[in-house]
Amino acid sequence: MRIAFLTATEGVEEIELTDPWKAALNAGWNPQLVSTEAGQVRAYNHLDKAGSYTVDHVLAGDTADAFDALVLPGGVANPDALRTNERAVGFIRSFFEQGKPVAAICHAPWTLVEAGVLPGRTLTSWPSLATDIRNAGGTWVDEEVQVCHGGPTTLITSRKPDDLEAFCTAFVAEFAA
């Protein structure tokens, strides 16, 4: 299974990238780091610079065709940059259009708001996104992990790094289904 991990070039929360990546590898899947530019993605540990990761695939009008599922790591700056990038938003939307599963943690649901895919869906996120999610037609819940089977696309969401174990367990189970 080929899994797209979509990040901006800077600002992804490192543990929200690396823990799900390891979970995908442990499941025997092929994770691919997808970004808006070639080169390296700079991760952060909250506000402190952390590791750099090599981009495997650069967005250029891509859709979900080449991937089986999508993981959206958080961090504040990462989804904020992605939601203003038309290629990234279109890429995310294509997973919903094709009925492929999507997992998003922490601030990453901001990109789902921008993609217009939340009406009728129940999800969780970092609490400061609750109003944005509600305004976009979603139902926000304060849960460690939320799995929404509304429509053809399964959406798995979690609130924060402390929820990573539950998040990884849930998305691996749902992606494998």
Side-chain angles (χ1 to χ4, degrees):
M1 182 177 293
R2 195 163 187 235
I3 312 297
F5 280 72
L6 178 62
T7 70
T9 57
E10 189 169 23
V12 65
E13 185 69 27
E14 186 170 47
I15 196 166
E16 293 176 5
L17 172 62
T18 58
D19 278 15
W21 188 279
K22 289 175 193 168
L25 286 174
N26 289 340
W29 301 334
N30 178 12
Q32 296 286 300
L33 186 57
V34 179
S35 191
T36 56
E37 295 178 26
Q40 299 283 308
V41 166
R42 167 61 78 179
Y44 281 75
N45 180 7
H46 301 295
L47 299 176
D48 298 324
K49 286 184 179 179
S52 291
Y53 300 88
T54 302
V55 173
D56 297 309
H57 185 91
V58 178
L59 287 178
D62 297 86
T63 66
D65 293 341
F67 300 95
D68 299 299
L70 173 64
V71 174
L72 298 167
V76 177
N78 176 53
D80 193 51
L82 289 175
R83 68 186 178 145
T84 62
N85 183 295
E86 290 180 30
R87 291 175 296 151
V89 172
F91 183 67
I92 293 164
R93 189 179 299 116
S94 74
F95 280 84
F96 286 85
E97 291 168 349
Q98 293 185 25
K100 294 183 178 183
V102 175
I105 187 167
C106 200
H107 287 79
W110 260 342
T111 60
L112 304 176
V113 168
E114 196 64 36
V117 297
L118 295 184
R121 297 197 169 270
T122 300
L123 64 153
T124 193
S125 68
W126 186 256
S128 66
L129 277 66
T131 300
D132 293 336
I133 289 168
R134 288 184 190 112
N135 288 341
T139 300
W140 186 84
V141 295
D142 186 11
E143 301 288 338
E144 180 180 51
V145 67
Q146 176 66 38
V147 177
C148 179
H149 293 285
T153 297
T154 299
L155 176 61
I156 305 98
T157 53
S158 283
R159 302 170 298 192
K160 56 190 174 183
D162 289 345
D163 299 337
L164 275 164
E165 185 175 344
F167 178 70
C168 292
T169 298
F171 91 72
V172 167
E174 292 297 327
F175 286 10

